[in-house]
Amino acid sequence: MVKVIRKEGKRPSGAVQNQWALKKHMKAAGYLLAAGDKEGDYGFFGRDDTWKRLRTFLQTDLLAPKAAAGYVPGAIEAARLATKGAPFYKGDLHEWLHYAAFDMFCTVMFGQITDCSNPKTFTQVEHTEFASSATEFLQLNNYMNANAMEILLGRSGLYETEKHKRLKSLLDDIFARGRRFVNDFMDKEEAELTEFEKKSWLYHAMKRQAEEQTVSKEEMIELAIVGLSAAVDTTSSLIAWNILHMATNQEIQDKVYQELTTAIEESGADGLTAEILSKDKTPFFFACVREAHRVSPAAGLAMFKTCAEEIEVHGQTFDKGTMFVFEGMTTVRDKELVDKPTEFIPERWLPEAVEARKGTPKEVIDHAFFKEPFSQGARKCPGSRVAMNENLALVAQLVLDWKITAPGLNSYKDATYGLRGAISPNLPKLEFAPRS
């Protein structure tokens, strides 16, 4: 797959190009992000120079490790507030996860604490309504991309189903609400902004847009809305798997709790910090997150790539334009490469275990392509590092605040799962007992 990525050329491909219903409506409705340079292209959702220009603007101050790390304090604060609301949603934790993901990404986008995850404290109904619309849209969009009848009728224009109409309505609602959020921020005077807000993506984007003029103000606004909506259900699916593994592995959960509390005590801090949420300080917790992805990835098909020229793979020649799909589950569950491949064993990711695999066929599971569900190459999810940091912050804070159990479940294998914004477990009713 590395060879395929290197053969993508100047206009790489990605899964977002397959979002036919989203692209069709955005182009017909006149959204600038779907306006490509050429006939039949779709701008941000295509492969032409417009995509490159918009993508470069979006990922600046977002994808680079240093930029993503700068948002960790905000994610930690949002998580600290959000976890107080988890027990109120124990019958449907997915709803809470959508709100928590929204809360955390708002600290990135706006540098603001929205606190809509706790029903006892939230005040802005529009925040929860935006999160709900974004969640429903992402799930319905995945359905539209997979259903043969919807694809046939929708792409041909023969008939517009009720689901297709609903998707269009949701998308317009997301942009209308998101535009109000963005405009409210942009209307603030410089003196009104907090230091936290001045560290946000949107604040820096506004400065870059005014200085560089590489995107229009409207394009910047639409990019902000797309980023905000995409961060809701995709991130929550990733977090849901991690919570399920904690809830069904009490000894592991307690070990994570001890590691986190020890790291906090040794640091002299009064809670989580960016330093504590690092592999050096909490290696077992990181191993748990890595193992959760191995046994239960939120995206089993993590990459969709089209080669820009003829390519030879394992002795077979493929024509220019051939699409390759990277399937990330089989290898890391191969019993020849992984001991007890279906068991949740975080210790296999600790430094000594990784070192022991070096120079053997088993070290393939340590390859970066198996590390996370966000694709690779030039079209890697621009919010991937932020999403991983949000996952770490929320799961860590949950374990610090609550002892989580899943009555009736002994393993993640006992839970059913389905496609939401990404592949997600159907979380059972969980119990939350205060740690102190």
Side-chain angles (χ1 to χ4, degrees):
M1 201 66 188
V2 174
K3 183 185 289 187
V4 173
I5 290 176
R6 289 171 178 168
K7 292 286 187 178
E8 283 193 287
K10 295 180 179 180
R11 293 178 172 81
S13 58
V16 71
Q17 294 171 244
N18 301 322
Q19 317 303 305
W20 68 269
L22 177 153
K23 295 194 303 181
K24 183 176 182 179
H25 178 58
M26 288 192 71
K27 199 170 189 71
Y31 290 104
L32 291 187
L33 291 192
D37 292 335
K38 301 175 183 177
E39 183 69 26
D41 211 329
Y42 291 86
F44 184 69
F45 306 98
R47 297 177 70 182
D48 65 4
D49 292 338
T50 301
W51 164 79
K52 186 174 182 180
R53 175 174 60 82
L54 295 171
R55 164 69 190 225
T56 299
F57 187 87
L58 175 63
Q59 72 181 34
T60 302
D61 297 320
L62 191 63
L63 183 59
K66 185 176 180 180
Y71 301 122
V72 173
I76 289 174
E77 177 60 15
R80 186 186 67 80
L81 296 170
T83 53
K84 292 176 171 59
F88 295 106
Y89 293 95
K90 63 183 182 180
D92 183 10
L93 202 65
H94 289 288
E95 183 180 2
W96 175 79
L97 283 170
H98 302 150
Y99 299 155
F102 175 80
D103 280 342
M104 289 188 291
F105 198 75
C106 277
T107 67
V108 175
M109 181 58 64
F110 305 115
Q112 297 171 350
I113 298 294
T114 46
D115 194 21
C116 68
S117 311
N118 188 342
K120 295 291 186 180
T121 57
F122 91 94
T123 58
Q124 294 276 358
V125 174
E126 191 155 25
H127 290 154
T128 56
E129 290 178 344
F130 177 91
S132 296
S133 289
T135 298
E136 186 182 352
F137 169 79
L138 287 168
Q139 295 178 9
L140 184 55
N141 188 54
N142 280 336
Y143 170 84
M144 300 292 285
N145 292 331
N147 186 277
M149 186 60 71
E150 292 286 356
I151 294 171
L152 174 64
L153 295 175
R155 282 189 159 178
S156 65
L158 292 173
Y159 179 73
E160 191 170 84
T161 67
E162 290 303 313
K163 281 186 169 59
H164 195 167
K165 292 176 184 177
R166 178 60 178 165
L167 181 139
K168 291 165 59 176
S169 175
L170 286 166
L171 188 60
D172 290 338
D173 181 67
I174 288 167
F175 270 83
R177 293 180 189 277
R179 187 178 299 279
R180 287 195 287 274
F181 298 156
V182 175
N183 284 339
D184 285 346
F185 185 96
M186 294 175 64
D187 287 343
K188 287 188 175 184
E189 297 291 336
E190 180 83 14
E192 296 180 273
L193 296 173
T194 67
E195 289 304 309
F196 201 17
E197 289 172 323
K198 290 179 181 179
K199 295 178 181 179
S200 69
W201 181 89
L202 185 54
Y203 177 82
H204 289 291
M206 290 166 59
K207 297 292 186 184
R208 287 189 286 114
Q209 191 277 325
E211 294 170 3
E212 301 168 6
Q213 295 289 311
T214 55
V215 303
S216 68
K217 183 178 290 188
E218 176 60 24
E219 287 174 325
M220 180 194 70
I221 291 171
E222 291 187 12
L223 283 171
I225 297 168
V226 166
L228 190 61
S229 61
V232 177
D233 201 33
T234 49
T235 304
S236 63
S237 295
L238 172 68
I239 297 171
W241 282 114
N242 281 271
I243 294 174
L244 179 63
H245 288 297
M246 289 291 122
T248 54
N249 292 278
Q250 291 302 301
E251 289 186 8
I252 289 173
Q253 183 184 159
D254 289 342
K255 189 172 179 178
V256 169
Y257 173 76
Q258 290 299 329
E259 183 181 63
L260 289 168
T261 54
T262 298
I264 291 171
E265 290 170 3
E266 291 179 349
S267 72
D270 58 0
L272 291 174
T273 64
E275 183 182 12
I276 290 168
L277 292 181
S278 66
K279 192 181 292 186
D280 289 340
K281 296 296 182 181
T282 48
F284 185 72
F285 177 45
F286 269 74
C288 290
V289 172
R290 182 66 184 80
E291 180 71 344
H293 175 61
R294 184 190 70 82
V295 298
S296 52
L301 302 178
M303 280 182 271
F304 298 78
K305 302 295 181 181
T306 302
C307 58
E309 57 186 85
E310 185 180 276
I311 184 174
E312 182 181 309
V313 179
H314 296 305
Q316 183 171 346
T317 301
F318 295 90
D319 293 336
K320 171 185 176 180
T322 300
M323 176 181 282
F324 292 82
V325 179
F326 181 75
E327 184 274 308
M329 289 186 67
T330 304
T331 300
V332 295
R333 283 172 168 250
D334 187 337
K335 62 182 180 181
E336 298 297 322
L337 300 172
V338 181
D339 298 329
K340 299 180 180 179
T342 63
E343 299 301 313
F344 185 79
I345 307 174
E347 289 80 1
R348 67 175 98 243
W349 300 106
L350 293 177
E352 56 270 24
V354 175
E355 184 64 30
R357 286 193 291 271
K358 288 184 177 180
T360 75
K362 293 183 178 182
E363 73 172 343
V364 67
I365 70 170
D366 298 304
H367 195 282
F369 284 7
F370 297 113
K371 184 180 179 182
E372 54 191 29
F374 299 113
S375 189
Q376 296 288 334
R379 298 198 76 137
K380 180 177 182 176
C381 172
S384 57
R385 287 192 173 92
V386 167
M388 287 304 296
N389 289 336
E390 291 173 346
N391 175 41
L392 292 168
L394 192 63
V395 176
Q397 192 64 57
L398 273 173
V399 172
L400 285 171
D401 290 346
W402 311 99
K403 186 174 180 64
I404 312 164
T405 55
L409 267 65
N410 297 314
S411 164
Y412 77 95
K413 290 178 281 189
D414 296 333
T416 60
Y417 59 90
L419 182 62
R420 295 174 184 264
I423 300 171
S424 175
N426 297 314
L427 290 172
K429 184 177 180 179
L430 301 178
E431 295 297 333
F432 297 86
R435 289 283 184 181
S436 59

